[in-house]
């Protein structure tokens, strides 16, 4: 009997309450950490999307410069719409993100090129260099075009 009692008294371990408290604390820590991680991932995706958009605008400028040298862009025909995945833009822009979009390039009277672009992914839409990136699920207003692709695929309604 003494042997059994001494075994019970010397038994070291955690009680059920202590284990539950640790589990609750770990769950709260995981919840806080996961929220921060999701924000970091979203910011990284937005940054990557913005970089791709700026690359699209640069590719359209390069394509327009080549068209200017070839004579298909001139002071009389000074506006051209370039659409992702259509020649000649697809030779200069690798569309690894399966984006939809277009860029309207205008040749100004001083010989400079101005660009206005639209691009959309499964998650985001961007319509200018300076505006923020919009989340497709929450930031895009409802429109008659259920996919909101009118500006994106036709350079804002302009097709050349």
């Amino acid at each position: 009997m003494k042997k059994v009692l001494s075994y019970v008294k010397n038994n070291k371990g955690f009680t059920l309450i202590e284990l539950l408290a640790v589990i609750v604390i770990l769950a709260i820590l995981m919840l806080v950490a996961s929220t921060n991680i999701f924000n970091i991932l979203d910011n990284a995706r937005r940054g990557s999307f913005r970089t791709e958009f700026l690359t699209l605008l640069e590719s359209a400028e390069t394509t327009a410069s080549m068209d200017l040298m070839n004579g298909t862009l001139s002071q009389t025909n000074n506006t051209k719409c370039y659409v992702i995945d259509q020649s000649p833009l697809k030779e200069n822009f690798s569309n690894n993100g399966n984006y939809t979009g277009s860029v309207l390039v205008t040749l100004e009277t001083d010989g400079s090129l101005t660009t206005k672009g639209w691009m959309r992914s499964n998650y985001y839409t961007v319509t200018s260099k300076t505006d923020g990136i919009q989340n497709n699920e929450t930031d895009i207003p409802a429109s008659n075009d259920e996919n909101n692709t009118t500006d994106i695929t036709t350079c804002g309604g302009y097709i050349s």
Side-chain angles (χ1 to χ4, degrees), residues 80-156:
K80 193 156 188 182
C81 178
Y82 298 99
V83 178
I84 294 178
D85 289 339
Q86 290 182 5
S87 286
L89 184 59
K90 75 177 183 179
E91 282 83 23
N92 292 325
F93 180 72
S94 61
N95 188 6
N96 296 332
N98 294 320
Y99 305 121
T100 56
S102 61
V103 179
L104 183 64
V105 179
T106 304
L107 176 64
E108 302 296 333
T109 55
D110 65 354
S112 64
L113 296 172
T114 59
T115 59
K116 178 165 171 89
W118 300 264
M119 191 167 82
R120 168 176 256 180
S121 72
N122 291 337
Y123 305 104
Y124 306 112
T125 299
V126 65
T127 58
S128 83
K129 287 182 186 180
T130 56
D131 289 346
I133 295 172
Q134 301 164 333
N135 186 319
N136 289 345
E137 294 176 4
T138 58
D139 299 335
I140 304 295
S143 74
N144 293 336
D145 179 10
E146 66 184 34
N147 295 323
N148 266 333
T149 57
T150 302
D151 284 345
I152 293 168
T153 57
T154 63
C155 290

Side-chain angles (χ1 to χ4, degrees), residues 11-144:
N11 191 9
K12 307 241 186 234
F14 297 107
T15 66
L16 183 60
I17 300 294
E18 291 170 332
L19 288 174
L20 287 175
V22 169
I23 291 172
V24 167
I25 290 170
L26 287 176
I28 291 170
L29 288 174
M30 286 177 43
L31 182 66
V32 170
S34 67
T35 303
N36 290 336
I37 288 172
F38 289 136
N39 287 338
I40 291 168
L41 289 175
D42 187 52
N43 288 339
R45 280 190 203 110
R46 285 177 182 263
S48 174
F49 184 69
R50 171 152 319 272
T51 301
E52 288 289 327
F53 178 66
L54 295 175
T55 303
L56 171 67
L57 294 179
E58 289 175 13
S59 298
E61 271 191 47
T62 301
T63 304
S65 296
M66 292 185 335
D67 285 349
L68 186 59
M69 288 188 290
N70 295 334
T72 57
L73 185 64
S74 64
Q75 289 296 338
T76 55
N77 184 20
N78 68 339
T79 305
K80 193 156 188 182
C81 178
Y82 298 99
V83 178
I84 294 178
D85 289 339
Q86 290 182 5
S87 286
L89 184 59
K90 75 177 183 179
E91 282 83 23
N92 292 325
F93 180 72
S94 61
N95 188 6
N96 296 332
N98 294 320
Y99 305 121
T100 56
S102 61
V103 179
L104 183 64
V105 179
T106 304
L107 176 64
E108 302 296 333
T109 55
D110 65 354
S112 64
L113 296 172
T114 59
T115 59
K116 178 165 171 89
W118 300 264
M119 191 167 82
R120 168 176 256 180
S121 72
N122 291 337
Y123 305 104
Y124 306 112
T125 299
V126 65
T127 58
S128 83
K129 287 182 186 180
T130 56
D131 289 346
I133 295 172
Q134 301 164 333
N135 186 319
N136 289 345
E137 294 176 4
T138 58
D139 299 335
I140 304 295
S143 74
N144 293 336

